[in-house]
């Protein structure tokens, strides 16, 4: 998935612990094979290759993930959209070769294919159809959270009472540490990503962060985030990082980027409408905004 996964489990001995970790790794690899766009025969690529041509029957697991993704698109009014894969990589590559932004007109032309409403699902035969030729879906905004959640569920089935699965900053933690205390999670400082600006004690929760320090480009001394607004095709501005706390890693992962796209006021308003969902936002001036019921230490 292009990310580092760090797995921690509590077990009675090292051998059992390693066996459990290997189970979780196998599950994460299985999900990668299912969702990747880097293997020609993946179900994601089959859907993309048949865009505008015909529906493709997929595993119920993939169908259900796409269905949940469309649900998140609806509640975020399109700020989350798995058809973002339609953006041409030549438009946004965020590498050293990128010395200027695309003009607004070119960017708008590129995003015309991004529209979750053109992803047609048929539950009878678990098929997915992308209405427009050239449309592409990708699971970059939800896949690693989904993998972390599925690995956690597998470990729970195998009686692993506590652990952490950390997918490059999107993590879920359950149970307690061996000393009986909750897990302590650091919230990254966007200016010094290796340091934390705050800590939370959590158990049976998931945390996901989307920040402009992860992947960005600097043009004329201004930093542009890799988070693209699907409506304009241009990078978002004004927000350094969004941290989401939820009970499910998939949902936490999926909500981090759209809240950044929606902006502080609309984003926090939405978060406060959804039970058991919390948010911390840091703006470009290092001002911290939080949803209701968050107490930072």
């Amino acid at each position: 998935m292009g990310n580092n996964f760090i797995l921690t489990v509590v077990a009675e001995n090292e051998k059992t612990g390693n066996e459990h970790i290997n189970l979780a790794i196998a599950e994460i690899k299985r999900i990668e094979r299912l969702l990747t766009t880097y293997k020609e025969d993946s179900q994601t690529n089959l859907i993309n290759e048949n865009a505008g041509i015909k529906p493709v029957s997929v595993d119920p697991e993939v169908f259900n993930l796409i269905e949940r993704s469309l649900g998140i698109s609806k509640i975020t009014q399109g700020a989350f959209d798995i058809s973002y894969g339609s953006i041409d990589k030549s438009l946004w590559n965020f590498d050293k070769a990128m010395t200027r932004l695309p003009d607004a007109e070119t960017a708008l032309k590129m995003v015309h294919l991004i529209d979750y409403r053109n992803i047609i699902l048929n539950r009878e035969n678990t098929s997915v159809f992308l209405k427009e030729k050239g449309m592409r879906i990708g699971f970059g905004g939800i896949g690693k959270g989904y993998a972390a959640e599925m690995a956690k569920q597998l470990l729970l089935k195998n009686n692993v009472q506590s652990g952490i699965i950390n997918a490059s900053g999107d993590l879920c933690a359950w149970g307690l540490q061996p000393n009986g205390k909750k897990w302590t999670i650091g919230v990254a400082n966007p200016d010094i990503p290796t340091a934390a600006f705050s800590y939370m004690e959590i158990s049976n929760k998931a945390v996901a962060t989307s920040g402009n320090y992860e992947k960005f480009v600097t043009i004329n001394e201004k930093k542009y985030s890799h988070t693209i607004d699907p409506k304009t095709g241009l990078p978002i501005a004004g927000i350094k990082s969004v941290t989401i706390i939820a009970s499910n890693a998939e949902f936490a992962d999926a909500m981090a980027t759209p809240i950044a796209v929606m902006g502080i006021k609309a984003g926090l308003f939405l978060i406060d409408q959804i039970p058991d969902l919390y948010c911390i936002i840091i703006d470009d001036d290092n001002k911290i905004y939080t949803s209701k019921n968050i107490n930072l230490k």
Side-chain angles (χ1 to χ4, degrees):
M1 297 187 191
N3 292 282
N4 289 319
F5 278 71
I6 299 168
L7 298 100
T8 307
V9 298
V10 177
E12 61 267 22
N13 57 58
E14 192 176 352
K15 182 176 177 286
T16 309
N18 283 330
E19 282 168 5
H20 288 147
I21 282 173
N22 288 333
L23 265 181
I25 290 169
E27 176 68 349
I28 292 161
K29 285 182 171 173
R30 181 190 71 78
I31 290 163
E32 178 170 44
R33 285 192 297 273
L34 211 55
L35 305 181
T36 184
T37 52
Y38 293 101
K39 286 197 176 75
E40 280 179 27
D41 59 349
S42 77
Q43 296 197 11
T44 312
N45 272 343
L46 289 173
I47 294 166
N48 292 341
E49 278 164 23
N50 288 284
I53 302 167
K54 63 175 185 184
V56 173
S57 284
V58 294
D59 291 0
E61 180 179 4
V62 176
F63 183 91
N64 292 336
L65 180 61
I66 293 172
E67 193 171 53
R68 292 195 299 276
S69 297
L70 298 187
I72 293 165
S73 294
K74 283 180 190 136
I75 63 168
T76 61
Q77 297 175 339
F80 175 88
D81 196 322
I82 58 169
S83 63
Y84 76 90
S86 312
I87 291 186
D88 191 332
K89 294 289 181 284
S90 63
L91 183 75
W92 289 113
N93 49 16
F94 290 97
D95 62 17
K96 290 186 173 66
M98 192 171 169
T99 54
R100 63 188 182 88
L101 292 179
D103 63 85
E105 202 179 329
T106 307
L108 258 182
K109 273 182 197 162
M110 294 304 308
V111 296
H112 79 282
L113 287 170
I114 300 177
D115 191 343
Y116 70 94
R117 291 166 299 193
N118 287 332
I119 302 171
I120 311 301
L121 301 183
N122 182 338
R123 183 158 275 289
E124 259 177 49
N125 56 5
T126 62
S127 72
V128 184
F129 178 49
L130 307 182
K131 260 170 84 171
E132 302 292 331
K133 218 167 172 46
M135 266 184 88
R136 289 175 62 78
I137 60 166
F139 294 98
I142 195 170
K144 58 184 179 155
Y146 175 63
E149 188 64 34
M150 290 294 282
K152 172 194 152 184
Q153 295 301 339
L154 181 67
L155 289 174
L156 281 168
K157 274 182 200 150
N158 282 273
N159 210 28
V160 177
Q161 300 294 330
S162 55
I164 300 181
I165 294 170
N166 183 350
S168 286
D170 293 357
L171 59 86
C172 52
W174 70 101
L176 301 168
Q177 297 182 61
N179 63 8
K181 289 184 176 176
K182 290 181 176 181
W183 299 99
T184 303
I185 305 297
V187 180
N189 177 341
D191 295 332
I192 319 159
T194 51
F197 85 88
S198 180
Y199 292 91
M200 289 180 286
E201 288 189 347
I202 65 167
S203 178
N204 305 320
K205 291 271 183 239
V207 180
T209 299
S210 176
N212 69 2
Y213 53 85
E214 294 164 324
K215 202 173 179 189
F216 60 89
V217 64
T218 306
I219 299 167
N220 298 331
E221 295 179 10
K222 190 172 177 192
K223 197 174 184 178
Y224 291 96
S225 161
H226 77 297
T227 302
I228 305 294
D229 184 336
K231 291 181 178 71
T232 64
L234 293 169
I236 61 152
I239 290 177
K240 279 186 180 177
S241 81
V242 173
T243 297
I244 300 285
I245 300 114
S247 51
N248 175 294
E250 175 195 313
F251 192 45
D253 185 13
M255 289 301 287
T257 300
I259 295 303
V261 170
M262 291 171 79
I264 296 163
K265 194 177 172 187
L268 289 177
F269 180 77
L270 174 62
I271 293 285
D272 285 336
Q273 310 308 305
I274 300 170
D276 205 25
L277 193 63
Y278 309 93
C279 179
I280 304 162
I281 300 174
I282 303 174
D283 73 7
D284 279 351
D285 301 317
N286 288 330
K287 193 172 174 195
I288 297 167
Y289 301 81
T290 66
S291 60
K292 292 175 189 168
N293 305 323
I294 279 204
N295 301 308
L296 292 177
K297 286 187 179 177

